[in-house]
Amino acid sequence: MTPLAALLAARIRASGPMTLAEYMADCLLHPDHGYYATRDPFGARGDFTTAPEISQMFGELMGICLAQGWLDQGSPAPFTLAELGPGRGTLMADILRATRAVPGFHAAARVTLVEASPSLRTIQRRTLGDHPVNWAATAEDLPEAPLFLIANEFFDALPIRQFTRQGRGWAETVVGLTEGRLTLGRTCPAPLAALEHRLTDTPDGGIVETCPAAAPIMARIGAIIARHGGAALIIDYGDWRARGDTFQALKDHRFADPLAEPGAADLTAHVDFEALAKAAAPARASRMVEQGTLLNRLGIAARAARLAQSLSGPALQSHLAAHHRLTDAREMGSLFKALAIHPPALSPPPGFDAPDA
């Protein structure tokens, strides 16, 4: 039993079962025993590897996408160049390197990293060198200014609630205790106004997951973009509408029991892109596009070929494998999706709502 498991068990004994959202929040964010407070989870030595850690090409193409969107909107200055959940700062470093030659972009950009962890802020500062950076604790702290933002594998780590349809009601998944061990259970079913619309597409026994924390974040981003211009790129694994049980744990790059070691494994769930799009109103959302399709539209094949010219041996093989992993439908190419938020009267950034070549 981990230290956090003992604390959670004591709380359940005192107050009764907790929702998955409460459980995930403690497992990930507990100040002393939470996953993100006690380790660096990224890369080969961590528990998972994100697209920016796989290849520089991902961040470079996202940077060019944002920069072209900025140019298309008249190069507003100053503007906020923001990232939600920036990890080690690898993605922002690649964005800044790729956009160095875009006239006026760096001079106008006010880099803002939305990061609450002091330890990760230290790593991000080291990664970004002497480039000026502002930090914000939450999306609510983003300034009122044109906003060009990226969030890669951010929303999947936000706590979810999970409901199973039973007749006209919904039973919520909760974490309780059985013989001293953490176990999953369900509440008695009851009607839920917030899920009334899902009765039409969810069979009896079907599962729907919601993410209460996502809506206010998207509302803030959408409000800024609607008022001041900009664009937000959301890349994550999930689908247009939440369906089924996607609650999972990752440890040492493998799936694990999400109740076995609270605080020692990453907990995630698939992202409901439809909910994100609706929450961003009055800003508009593009069509959702698969990551592989987006990267191909943005020219990853040409970029990969150019980089390959200077490589050989194991380095070349690693580079080709990274390209394949990012774009192939059997890898991240179709599992990960992307959505762009943009001003209601303007077109989305490059790569979104565009016909394939």
Side-chain angles (χ1 to χ4, degrees), residues 5 39 168 174 198-199 235 251 266 304:
R39 70 202 66 228
R168 300 291 299 178
V174 293
R198 296 304 306 271
L199 291 173
I235 306 101
K251 187 176 182 182
D266 183 37

Coordinates of all heavy atoms in Angstrom, one line a residue, residues 5 39 168 174 198-199 235 251 266 304:
A5 N -2.4 5.6 -0.7 CA -3.5 4.6 -0.6 C -4.0 4.6 0.9 O -5.2 4.5 1.1 CB -3.0 3.3 -1.0
R39 N 7.5 13.0 -9.1 CA 8.4 12.4 -10.1 C 8.3 13.2 -11.4 O 7.5 14.1 -11.6 CB 8.0 11.0 -10.4 CG 6.6 10.9 -11.1 CD 6.0 9.5 -10.9 NE 5.6 9.4 -9.5 CZ 5.9 8.3 -8.7 NH1 6.6 7.3 -9.3 NH2 5.6 8.2 -7.5
R168 N -33.6 4.8 -17.2 CA -33.6 6.3 -17.4 C -32.7 7.0 -16.4 O -32.6 8.2 -16.5 CB -35.1 6.8 -17.2 CG -36.1 6.2 -18.1 CD -35.9 6.7 -19.6 NE -36.0 8.1 -19.8 CZ -35.8 8.7 -20.9 NH1 -35.5 8.0 -22.0 NH2 -35.9 10.0 -21.0
V174 N -17.7 4.9 -8.3 CA -17.0 5.4 -7.2 C -15.9 4.5 -6.7 O -15.9 3.3 -7.1 CB -18.0 5.7 -6.0 CG1 -19.0 6.8 -6.4 CG2 -18.8 4.4 -5.6
R198 N -27.8 12.2 -23.6 CA -27.1 11.0 -23.9 C -27.9 9.7 -23.8 O -27.4 8.6 -24.2 CB -25.8 10.8 -23.0 CG -24.8 11.9 -23.1 CD -24.3 12.1 -24.6 NE -23.8 10.9 -25.1 CZ -22.5 10.4 -25.0 NH1 -21.6 11.2 -24.3 NH2 -22.1 9.3 -25.6
L199 N -29.2 9.8 -23.3 CA -30.0 8.7 -23.3 C -30.3 8.1 -24.7 O -30.6 7.0 -24.9 CB -31.3 9.0 -22.6 CG -31.2 9.3 -21.1 CD1 -32.6 9.8 -20.5 CD2 -30.8 8.0 -20.3
I235 N -4.5 18.8 -28.9 CA -4.2 17.5 -29.4 C -4.2 16.5 -28.2 O -3.5 16.8 -27.2 CB -2.8 17.5 -30.1 CG1 -2.7 18.6 -31.1 CG2 -2.4 16.2 -30.7 CD1 -2.0 19.9 -30.7
K251 N 2.2 2.9 -16.1 CA 3.4 2.9 -15.3 C 4.4 2.1 -16.1 O 4.2 1.0 -16.6 CB 3.1 2.2 -14.0 CG 4.3 2.3 -13.0 CD 4.0 1.7 -11.6 CE 5.3 1.9 -10.7 NZ 5.0 1.3 -9.4
D266 N 0.4 7.0 -13.6 CA -0.3 8.1 -14.3 C -1.8 7.6 -14.5 O -2.0 6.5 -15.0 CB 0.4 8.4 -15.6 CG -0.3 9.6 -16.3 OD1 -0.8 10.5 -15.6 OD2 -0.4 9.5 -17.6
A304 N 10.5 15.4 -42.7 CA 11.2 14.1 -42.3 C 12.2 13.8 -43.4 O 13.3 13.4 -43.0 CB 10.2 13.0 -42.2

